[in-house]
Amino acid sequence: MAVSPETVLITGASSGIGRELARCFARAGSDCILLARTEEALRELAETLESDYGITAHVLPADLSTPGIGSTIIQNLNDRDLSVDVLVNNAGFGVRGRFSDLDPQRQVDMIQVNVTALTDLTRRLLPAMEERNRGGVLNVASTAAFQPGPFMSVYYATKAYVLSFSEGLADELDASNVTVSCLAPGPTRTTFVEKANMNETHLFQWGVPMTPETVAQAGYEGFRAERTLTVPGWPNKIGAAMVRFTPRSIARGIAGWLNR
Ligand SMILES: NC(=O)c1ccc[n+]([C@@H]2O[C@H](COP(=O)([O-])OP(=O)(O)OC[C@H]3O[C@@H](n4cnc5c(N)ncnc54)[C@H](OP(=O)(O)O)[C@@H]3O)[C@@H](O)[C@H]2O)c1
């Protein structure tokens, strides 16, 4: 019996790293379900992927900051008779500033998108992958996951969660053919930077941001190679390794300076 083509659900596919991850999977022949709020951008990408790679691309507009959105998404997939082999939890955003000065609702929305929706979608889609004993989950964290980040305290904490959660799950599924992989990019030139108000930070003034294409390709290859963690780019790899040997007070001091 022929195996049906793999179907990949990518959150945050309307721009940046998510759009490029969708391209990586489509190029390899996977059908895609593209999820984000901006329906027009998803439709444009779906048309491009279908004509460039001959795959089927579905569009699923959804706002992941809406509490309970996970069950609505699953209902939508069921109504369209779509099953998900690979879940790419890429959608996310950051906000920069002193915690007490930032909009409280935006902070809660950030936790909802970066943490709660990611966990909920994984919980709802993973059991079927385990039953089929194939596919997996690719979570997008950040090098922010490796230490606390003053002036982006909530964002860094959400990404520490994503990394810890991914590593824990990867071990739970060690004996199966289901892969759990985490991509931890450093600074990347996407709309994230303007939205998080990070253009003027030392991090983006001094660093050399990577392109979303390179970051996505590294994440895709890491997932296919069943690597639990992929840190793209040598400067980011070195930075992540050095954090392990640096006292936490110094590591968070450096992160705080970079975020200023
Ligand atoms: N750029 C960096 O320097 C960097 C570094 C490390 C990690 N990351 C991580 O990489 C991931 C992708 O970010 P990016 O750099 O590619 O930024 P981006 O271009 O701003 O893309 C973010 C994506 O998330 C989606 N999204 C945001 N809020 C959403 C919501 N409420 N509901 C549904 N979708 C939502 C956006 O779509 P809509 O606006 O259309 O909803 C967009 O497709 C994020 O998790 C980010 O934390 C980025």
Side-chain angles (χ1 to χ4, degrees):
M1 198 174 73
V3 178
S4 55
E6 179 185 71
T7 301
V8 185
L9 168 60
I10 301 130
T11 72
S14 62
S15 67
I17 298 167
R19 183 166 54 195
E20 298 310 322
L21 279 165
R23 262 192 246 279
C24 291
F25 280 97
R27 198 180 294 124
S30 305
D31 289 340
C32 293
I33 304 166
L34 309 171
L35 186 152
R37 290 168 301 182
T38 317
E39 187 169 351
E40 205 185 318
L42 296 180
R43 292 210 176 281
E44 272 172 29
L45 178 62
E47 271 177 34
T48 309
L49 297 181
E50 288 189 341
S51 72
D52 286 359
Y53 305 116
I55 55 112
T56 302
H58 308 268
V59 165
L60 205 171
D63 184 346
L64 295 175
S65 70
T66 310
I69 191 67
S71 67
T72 310
I73 291 169
I74 300 301
Q75 189 60 54
N76 186 311
L77 294 171
N78 290 342
D79 290 348
R80 294 156 83 177
D81 208 14
L82 291 171
S83 71
V84 174
D85 298 297
V86 177
L87 169 64
V88 180
N89 280 310
N90 159 80
F93 70 94
V95 185
R96 185 175 73 94
R98 286 184 73 254
F99 174 70
S100 302
D101 296 339
L102 294 170
D103 177 28
Q105 188 56 48
R106 198 134 166 81
Q107 308 272 49
V108 170
D109 287 350
M110 197 192 333
I111 297 168
Q112 175 69 37
V113 175
N114 296 8
V115 173
T116 309
L118 172 146
T119 310
D120 191 25
L121 283 177
T122 305
R123 173 61 188 84
R124 289 172 189 276
L125 293 171
L126 190 60
M129 296 174 195
E130 290 188 66
E131 219 163 88
R132 292 192 290 266
N133 199 27
R134 70 170 205 173
V137 180
L138 171 58
N139 287 331
V140 180
S142 164
T143 48
F146 300 119
Q147 68 285 297
F151 306 106
M152 288 190 86
S153 297
V154 175
Y155 177 74
Y156 276 55
T158 65
K159 293 302 179 178
Y161 173 92
V162 175
L163 176 60
S164 173
F165 171 60
S166 306
E167 289 186 312
L169 269 192
D171 260 33
E172 285 183 30
L173 292 164
D174 208 21
S176 79
N177 286 329
V178 178
T179 302
V180 178
S181 185
C182 183
L183 168 65
T188 309
R189 191 50 71 191
T190 68
T191 57
F192 173 92
V193 188
E194 288 82 45
K195 288 180 195 158
N197 183 26
M198 290 191 78
N199 259 326
E200 306 300 319
T201 58
H202 289 123
L203 183 63
F204 277 88
Q205 296 284 308
W206 289 50
V208 182
M210 292 178 73
T211 66
E213 290 86 348
T214 314
V215 168
Q217 185 62 32
Y220 175 78
E221 286 171 10
F223 175 77
R224 288 299 184 209
E226 301 178 13
R227 270 198 291 276
T228 302
L229 174 63
T230 302
V231 180
W234 283 108
N236 297 324
K237 282 190 217 305
I238 292 166
M242 279 170 61
V243 165
R244 287 195 203 135
F245 306 104
T246 308
R248 242 168 127 70
S249 59
I250 294 178
R252 66 176 176 256
I254 294 170
W257 180 81
L258 288 170
N259 289 336
R260 261 181 259 210

